[in-house]
Amino acid sequence: MSVNQQDLLSISPNHKDYLYHKIKNKTARIGVIGLGYVGLPTAFEKAEEGYDVIGFDVSDLKVKQVNGGKNYINDIDDAKFNEITKARKKLSATTDFSKLNQVDVVLICVPTPIDEYKQPDLYFVRSATDSIAANLHPGMLVILESTTYPGTTEEIMMPLFAEKGYTAGKDLFVAYSPERIDPGNRKFGIKNTPKIVGGVTEHCTSLAAGFIGEVAYPVSSVKVAEMAKVYENTFRFINIAFANEMAVLGEKMDIDMWEVIEASGTKPYGFMKFFPGPGVGGHCIPVDPYYLTYKAKEMNQNTKLIELAGEINNNMSEVVVNRAMKALNEHGKAINGSKVVLLGAAYKKDIGDMRESPILPILDELANANAEIKVCDPFIHQVPINNNMHPTVNYSKKLLQNADLVIIGTDHTCFNYKEILEQSKIVLDTRNACKNIGEKYTNYIR
């Protein structure tokens, strides 16, 4: 026997019970704002769970692709996506944000970039909140998933909802549950990665945790949830900086720091391996720490360690280019006019994501030094060099043979590293991709 809204509210006058009932029996309609690397997989997973899901985005192209059953995110199975959108019709998309008044649960999955001054840009969060506030109805659950600084949910979102006469924990439920999506990770995804959740009130937390399901990890407050997200990525940011600094020192001392780190990693406690590279990239690690420094400055606190780590990581592009110049000089060539092939432009292997890729500033610096650059990345069709888009090239032996220098920028597993070493004049490996074979070749540098 079904229970309609009026019957349930006559039993319990609060909206929490009714919304919990709809979430439990999958009759709640879900809205996801932002259909990018986080939003689309989230919308897809909720649709697979049995909910009816509406995706909201300002991009006509993304909306058209979703409604046409065309998947554009690598981590989603194309056939399953087509089934969910076309056959089962559990997921649709729209640019009409007034349709938010039709949903019961709203997930905000919009970008939170930093500007040129390393200041948080919350334009998309504010815009999404404005759209929700304009279409609020009693008994709605709103969950912010975008990375931000502690205080955003209560200081930016809640005042807009309060202006509409809503009270958190009574007729509106608001929580923060940061996304934990690692593009290209085949082991951990949305279904098996613990998900932190903190609500504005206890009712908000329990309702949001119930919606998230078994992977939910409730915390005592929304600020704890917000801090946890920036803390975990700042932790990685700082430790990568230490590995990068030691790699530069190791080169001066003729010590293989990759071997050092592997050796240190044999300790079964008290050590976690972080490896050096050409810098840090992606939508989280290069960005999140600056949300924390921004908030700290509001409270007249310095975050010297974070700022120093940023300086070290940002300097790695210069380190790579200087090593390229030195390698060419040792072979009697200047960087000016040299043919340089860069293998891989994505921020991590086996994906086509260039967000904050550490390879991009390397390309700019090589171009400024008048090198003739060709970029090969099977996952990417074009790359920006000094604000101009350039097409990538196909991998071939001839490409390697014609180059004065080959730089391994991203260690995609599809590259044949033995062939790269055999066919290239000089190989500069920024990822230790050739660790098992490189020492056999005199043209190999890392």
Side-chain angles (χ1 to χ4, degrees), residues 35-45 48 61-86 91 93 181 183-184 186 190 381:
L35 295 175
Y37 285 92
V38 173
L40 190 62
T42 300
F44 172 75
E45 290 291 347
E48 269 208 318
L61 176 60
K62 287 180 180 178
V63 166
K64 184 177 180 180
Q65 288 176 310
V66 171
N67 290 334
K70 185 177 181 181
N71 170 42
Y72 49 86
I73 300 293
N74 289 336
D75 289 346
I76 301 175
D77 181 85
D78 290 344
K80 289 182 179 179
F81 186 81
N82 188 269
E83 178 189 352
I84 286 292
T85 54
K86 301 294 287 182
L91 172 60
I181 290 180
R186 301 302 179 188
I190 293 175
H381 299 298

Side-chain angles (χ1 to χ4, degrees), residues 68-317:
K70 185 177 181 181
N71 170 42
Y72 49 86
I73 300 293
N74 289 336
D75 289 346
I76 301 175
D77 181 85
D78 290 344
K80 289 182 179 179
F81 186 81
N82 188 269
E83 178 189 352
I84 286 292
T85 54
K86 301 294 287 182
R88 295 173 57 188
K89 299 187 183 301
K90 301 298 290 184
L91 172 60
S92 62
T94 182
T95 58
D96 182 2
F97 283 74
S98 69
K99 290 184 178 180
L100 283 165
N101 63 15
Q102 301 175 14
V103 305
D104 302 294
V105 181
V106 186
L107 306 175
I108 303 174
C109 304
V110 297
T112 48
I114 52 176
D115 63 22
E116 58 183 315
Y117 305 107
K118 306 293 185 184
Q119 300 291 304
D121 180 359
L122 294 181
Y123 168 81
F124 298 108
V125 171
R126 295 177 191 274
S127 179
T129 305
D130 284 337
S131 296
I132 295 169
N135 295 281
L136 277 177
H137 61 75
M140 183 181 282
L141 170 62
V142 180
I143 303 176
L144 175 61
E145 297 210 351
S146 306
T147 303
T148 188
Y149 55 76
T152 299
T153 306
E154 293 170 305
E155 296 168 11
I156 292 179
M157 296 178 64
M158 286 310 302
L160 293 173
F161 299 150
E163 286 178 5
K164 300 292 182 178
Y166 286 82
T167 302
K170 293 184 178 180
D171 50 8
L172 176 67
F173 306 93
V174 182
Y176 180 76
S177 183
E179 58 87 7
R180 278 179 167 171
I181 290 180
D182 184 18
N185 192 325
R186 301 302 179 188
K187 183 177 181 181
F188 292 105
I190 293 175
K191 293 180 179 178
N192 65 344
T193 301
K195 201 163 189 298
I196 298 165
V197 56
V200 175
T201 70
E202 289 184 10
H203 282 337
C204 296
T205 301
S206 63
L207 196 56
F211 172 69
I212 291 167
E214 293 181 358
V215 296
Y217 182 87
V219 294
S220 61
S221 71
V222 68
K223 283 186 177 180
V224 168
E226 290 167 332
M227 176 63 92
K229 173 62 175 180
V230 290
Y231 181 86
E232 63 190 46
N233 283 330
T234 301
F235 170 82
R236 296 173 67 190
F237 183 75
I238 290 171
N239 280 280
I240 291 170
F242 177 63
N244 282 332
E245 187 172 53
M246 290 300 99
V248 175
L249 177 62
E251 182 192 2
K252 300 290 185 183
M253 300 176 69
D254 195 25
I255 297 173
D256 183 345
M257 284 308 301
W258 278 279
E259 185 179 359
V260 169
I261 294 166
E262 291 287 4
S264 297
T266 61
K267 186 178 182 180
Y269 55 89
F271 184 83
M272 184 179 293
K273 290 188 286 187
F274 288 87
F275 294 100
V280 292
H283 63 294
C284 284
I285 298 177
V287 175
D288 296 1
Y290 295 107
Y291 274 75
L292 204 50
T293 59
Y294 170 81
K295 197 63 178 178
K297 287 175 182 176
E298 278 191 352
M299 300 178 177
N300 297 317
Q301 292 291 315
N302 292 322
T303 50
K304 295 180 181 178
L305 191 58
I306 298 174
E307 291 167 11
L308 181 58
E311 183 180 328
I312 292 169
N313 287 330
N314 291 337
N315 191 53
M316 290 309 294
S317 60

